[in-house]
Amino acid sequence: MSDTLRTEQVSIAHAEILSALHGRCFEEPWSPESMASLFATPGMLGVIATDDASDEPVGFVLMRVIDGEAEILTIGVLPEARGRGIGTILLGIMLEEAISTVFLDVAADNEAALNLYQSRDFEVVGRRSAYYKRADGTRVDSLTMKRVLG
Ligand SMILES: CC(C)(COP(=O)(O)OP(=O)(O)OC[C@H]1O[C@@H](n2cnc3c(N)ncnc32)[C@H](O)[C@@H]1OP(=O)(O)O)[C@@H](O)C(=O)NCCC(=O)NCCS
């Protein structure tokens, strides 16, 4: 897949497409307005991955960097494009942009994301009990993960 993938940095102009991608990757979509408001804050970086063969966007990642400390705000790959290394590529692009430390939060039962982050040397540094609420009303802990860059 990476042979036919192109990546581009995005901006507030991509709020609609980011919202659409987010909505296909998560139970609770972020609206175009909330995407746009994120880009109104300092230090935002975003990348969309597009499949060259279909010319369709297949994944995205958003990160905020403040004083060298970065937070991955969200990352997603469309269900039909998962397991082909796109998440790894998107996370890698963000790690190249970050300077010292990268944080993120992930649901404790999100095995695919946990494996992705652990494969890129993130470590669990905190847990928030019952932080996320699922569409079915159940709650799940949030794990805070951290990677210190060399
Ligand atoms: C998490 C997500 C971004 C991974 O994207 P992806 O393109 O499928 O990931 P990759 O193909 O690059 O896989 C990277 C690693 O993640 C892990 N992984 C990916 N899919 C997995 C699955 N279904 N089960 C277990 N581990 C999985 C593996 O360790 C994999 O490495 P490997 O291929 O060497 O085994 C994708 O599953 C997704 O969009 N999920 C829904 C949104 C989400 O949960 N985002 C994260 C919020 S914190």
Side-chain angles (χ1 to χ4, degrees):
M1 166 59 75
S2 59
D3 287 349
T4 63
L5 194 77
R6 68 175 189 272
T7 56
E8 61 180 313
Q9 283 218 10
V10 291
S11 67
I12 194 166
H14 298 83
E16 291 269 355
I17 182 64
L18 285 167
S19 170
L21 285 168
H22 189 282
R24 290 205 48 216
C25 293
F26 292 92
E27 279 183 5
E28 292 193 12
W30 292 0
S31 67
E33 292 74 23
S34 59
M35 284 292 178
S37 68
L38 276 179
F39 278 95
T41 62
M44 277 298 299
L45 281 171
V47 168
I48 283 180
T50 299
D51 183 349
D52 263 338
S54 64
D55 205 30
E56 295 291 334
V58 289
F60 70 101
V61 60
L62 297 180
M63 182 173 83
R64 182 157 44 209
V65 184
I66 296 175
D67 290 338
E69 195 164 276
E71 181 184 8
I72 304 277
L73 301 177
T74 181
I75 180 169
V77 174
L78 295 186
E80 62 271 24
R82 289 177 192 163
R84 298 189 223 159
I86 299 171
T88 301
I89 290 168
L90 289 168
L91 184 59
I93 291 170
M94 290 293 107
L95 291 175
E96 281 171 18
E97 296 289 337
I99 297 168
S100 60
T101 310
V102 185
F103 288 94
L104 57 83
D105 286 296
V106 55
D109 63 354
N110 190 342
E111 190 186 346
L114 279 165
N115 286 343
L116 168 63
Y117 301 140
Q118 277 160 356
S119 75
R120 298 306 304 253
D121 299 327
F122 280 82
E123 291 178 1
V124 175
V125 294
R127 177 183 283 264
R128 284 184 276 198
S129 182
Y131 184 75
Y132 295 110
K133 190 177 177 187
R134 297 284 191 226
D136 65 4
T138 56
R139 293 208 167 255
V140 59
D141 292 356
S142 157
L143 299 178
T144 300
M145 301 188 81
K146 175 181 176 182
R147 167 146 177 211
V148 177
L149 298 163

